[in-house]
Every structure is written in structure tokens, then in C-alpha cells.
Amino acid sequence: GDINILRLLYRLGVRSICLTWNNRNEIADGVLDCCSGGGLTNFGLEVVKEMNRLGMVVDLSHISERGFWSALENAQAPLMVSHANCRKLQNHERNLSDDQIKALAQKNGVMGITFVPDFLSEDQAGIEDVLKHIDYVSSLVGPEYVGLGSDFDGTDHLPLGLEDVCRIPQIAESLLKWGYSMTDVEKIMGKNFLRLFQQVLLD
């Protein structure tokens, strides 16, 4: 609840903060508190404003939908959703609706597709499911607004074919086989996030 802690974190080198985890904190309601209808608190609005002023990336993963919209409306810089997937393909509370994905893109933000199986598919998830979510975002808003948000350290299970970081090049290879250009594959594999970081951190 003290904005000076944010400034201290910035001085220590922190350049991105996820506003919530799944539950409510002093900034906003988490995604598991969505039934309350709460979004950003007054302190949360102050945090977003100060992060923009300092040059820190606001991460909207885990936040309630109302909090998502409130942050998007009040932010003066592009935001990211570092790890989530498409609700249209897998109806999970941590995934984003089409409207959320479009609004994030309109703010020049980036969405990282996560490898958490529950967010990918009802069935046994595999690399194909990750590709489907990447392709869905690309088709909806363009390949400039999607990247990888593996969450390797946040899940006990991983999709078949993506059991560790050594398998990540297979995503690029598969996207090329799906007809994506090398330019777009490079954006998805990292350049979109680099663009966002450069814009927010250096402006």
C-alpha cells in the first residue's frame, strides 16, 4: 500500500510487475475474485500511473476482467499479458476473451501464450495446441501482438513436445511449416516482447 516501495523496486532494477496473482491484493482483484466485480483500487490506479512514469511494464496476467479493462483504460504505455491463452479455444478463467485480445493489441501490447496444459486444451495438450493459440491471436489481431509466455516455473505439467526449454525451437520450425514468414516467426519468438520492452523502458 506504499507507492514508495514501487520506487524502491525500480531502483533495485525491477522493470515489470504483475499487478495481482489469482487473488485480491491492495492493487486489484485477481482472476479468482472476479465474482466480486472489483477492478483496480485507487491505489492500483496510482501504481499503474507511477509504473508508466518510471518506465516499468505493467503485466495484466492473473488480474480480474474488470481490473484488466481499468488498467487498459488508464495506462499511458503499452501493457503485456505475459502468460495466458485464448478463451475462445479453451474456456478457462485465466484466458482472454477476443475483446480483451483486441483491446490489448490496440494499445500496442503483447500477449504471451503459455504452455500450462489446463489453459491450452481439455484433452492431453501438445505443441499443436500452443501453435493453435498462437495462430488464433495472429489471425485475430496480427502476429505483431503475440509471443511466448511458457510459465515453465509455474506449472508441474507441460504439453507433449514442450517438456523443457530445449524444445522451444520446434515452435519456430512448426510455425514456418504452417506458412508463417521468417519475419513473423522472429516477432513471435521474441521480437514482439523486445519491441514492447524497448518502447516502455526507453521512452
Side-chain angles (χ1 to χ4, degrees):
D2 184 351
I3 201 70
N4 290 310
I5 299 299
L6 177 65
R7 295 172 185 141
L8 176 61
L9 291 170
Y10 179 84
R11 289 176 61 192
L12 291 171
V14 175
R15 292 297 180 268
S16 176
I17 292 177
C18 195
L19 298 183
T20 68
W21 190 58
N22 290 332
N23 306 112
R24 177 181 303 140
N25 62 22
E26 294 189 28
I27 293 173
D29 278 7
V31 70
L32 296 185
D33 291 310
C34 60
C35 62
S36 74
L40 289 183
T41 63
N42 288 336
F43 177 67
L45 290 169
E46 185 182 4
V47 167
V48 170
K49 181 179 179 181
E50 186 65 2
M51 287 180 71
N52 286 167
R53 186 189 73 81
L54 290 169
M56 301 176 78
V57 179
V58 176
D59 186 353
L60 298 181
S61 303
H62 291 280
I63 201 167
S64 67
E65 186 162 349
R66 186 168 175 183
F68 174 96
W69 290 114
S70 183
L72 215 66
E73 289 163 9
N74 287 279
Q76 300 301 310
L79 309 95
M80 73 174 175
V81 176
S82 61
H83 57 299
N85 291 338
C86 309
R87 196 176 298 167
K88 195 81 169 184
L89 299 184
Q90 173 67 344
N91 189 20
H92 191 286
E93 64 249 352
R94 276 277 285 104
N95 290 344
L96 301 187
S97 68
D98 285 5
D99 286 343
Q100 287 177 294
I101 296 169
K102 290 175 183 177
L104 184 69
Q106 286 169 0
K107 276 277 193 177
N108 212 24
V110 179
M111 174 182 179
I113 298 301
T114 182
F115 303 168
V116 178
D118 289 347
F119 301 175
L120 287 166
S121 172
E122 290 292 339
D123 305 315
Q124 171 65 63
I127 188 172
E128 185 93 357
D129 295 296
V130 172
L131 297 170
K132 286 177 182 176
H133 283 266
I134 292 171
D135 190 59
Y136 188 84
V137 177
S138 296
S139 299
L140 188 66
V141 295
E144 296 80 18
Y145 307 103
V146 61
L148 304 183
S150 65
D151 208 17
F152 275 128
D153 63 344
T155 180
D156 294 325
H157 306 285
L158 289 159
L160 293 174
L162 286 172
E163 290 82 5
D164 57 59
V165 71
C166 298
R167 310 294 182 94
I168 286 202
Q170 294 184 29
I171 296 175
E173 293 168 10
S174 297
L175 287 171
L176 290 170
K177 290 177 182 176
W178 279 34
Y180 281 77
S181 69
M182 180 60 76
T183 298
D184 286 343
V185 170
E186 288 175 348
K187 290 176 183 176
I188 293 165
M189 297 302 291
K191 285 191 173 180
N192 287 334
F193 274 119
L194 285 175
R195 180 260 305 162
L196 180 135
F197 297 151
Q198 288 168 347
Q199 184 173 351
V200 176
L201 303 187
L202 302 181
D203 277 359

